[in-house]
Amino acid sequence: MNWLYVIGFAAALMIALLMTPLVKRFAFWVGAVDAPNHRKVHSRIMPRLGGLAIFIAFVASYFVVSPAMDSLKSDVIFGLLVGGAIVVLIGALDDRFDLSPKIKLLGQILAASVVVYSGVVIDLVNVPFGDQVISLEWLAVPLTIFWIVGVTNAINLIDGLDGLSAGVSGIATTTILILALMMGNVTVVLLCTLLLGSIAGFLFYNFHPAKIFMGDSGALFLGFTLATLSVLGFKQATVVSLLVPIMILGVPLSDTFFAIMRRWVNNLPISVADKSHLHHCLLQLGFSHRTTVLIIYGIAAVFGSSAVLLSYISQQETLWAAVLLVVILLCVLVLGAEAIGIISKTKKPVLRFLNKLGLKANLLDAKSRNN
């Protein structure tokens, strides 16, 4: 069966490579373009709709290899394809007509509901340090929809530099693929392989300097698909291992969380757009466009590696080690966020506290030497 995965990846890659230039021409033809403004980092009109190429490659490659494969969860895959078509349609319309946030949100909820109806639901949680299993019951459906919609928008929020969303999504897909191989989840392995090939083919045209943007059609589809695959792979897990999909998507989720905190600290509405996301902060520190993207790729890879390690630790039931790993990662995340000023350029309580501790330690050391 391994050769089918190779064929699927190659098919998705080639279809994306062939379709992206055609989608680029179509975007110009229908007027789905992105004009520069004060929030954008590009300086010329760029075609959107790149997500169409990713979606077409993903769907077409699935129909190439799926007839030769057994043990696939066809209902779940059908739900993913239908839900994916809905978010791609909503995203494509937004790329052309700039839909209102309410309409986009309703479309995302509809797509998530389709996937939930197909059977992708976070239903059971095993309590750590014990054998008790908690059924989420009526919370399962709204929690799953909230997760899918949240991740969908998180990927969309980081789509601010050439190749950023595509690359981060590719790293997240690779992480889910590795974990699916560890668990022997054939359906998730196949879908991740096809998605990774589609992203790689599109990234050839999207990496800096980009020839086309994925637009909302691509960012929403990638976020929606990654959210669904993460639920499909971890729908029943311990509380600790439920952090695995959060770590996999650590870059977009943390950037979204910091954006909410930033607007709360500055008394701004959550919906107000700004130019203080992670990639903006790195650019303001003097890094080039390409270097900024590569730095964020590295951060995403660290999150992905941590997710794999956490999954392994959870399987070995060494929960204290898992908790320690999570605490270390959170500390590094908070310190890094304050260092680059992603929440506030002036309010940095943790760093200020550590500086005070360091100052006191130096004073005590000086007194001891004087005595």
Side-chain angles (χ1 to χ4, degrees), residues 173-189:
T173 303
T174 303
T175 305
I176 298 175
L177 173 60
I178 293 171
L179 293 170
L181 287 169
M182 291 169 57
M183 296 183 292
N185 193 325
V186 175
T187 300
V188 176
V189 170

Side-chain angles (χ1 to χ4, degrees), residues 39-61:
R39 289 189 59 248
K40 307 293 177 65
V41 297
H42 62 281
S43 56
R44 59 191 174 93
I45 294 177
M46 293 290 294
R48 295 172 173 173
L49 288 180
L52 287 179
I54 299 174
F55 179 69
I56 292 171
F58 179 73
V59 175
S61 59

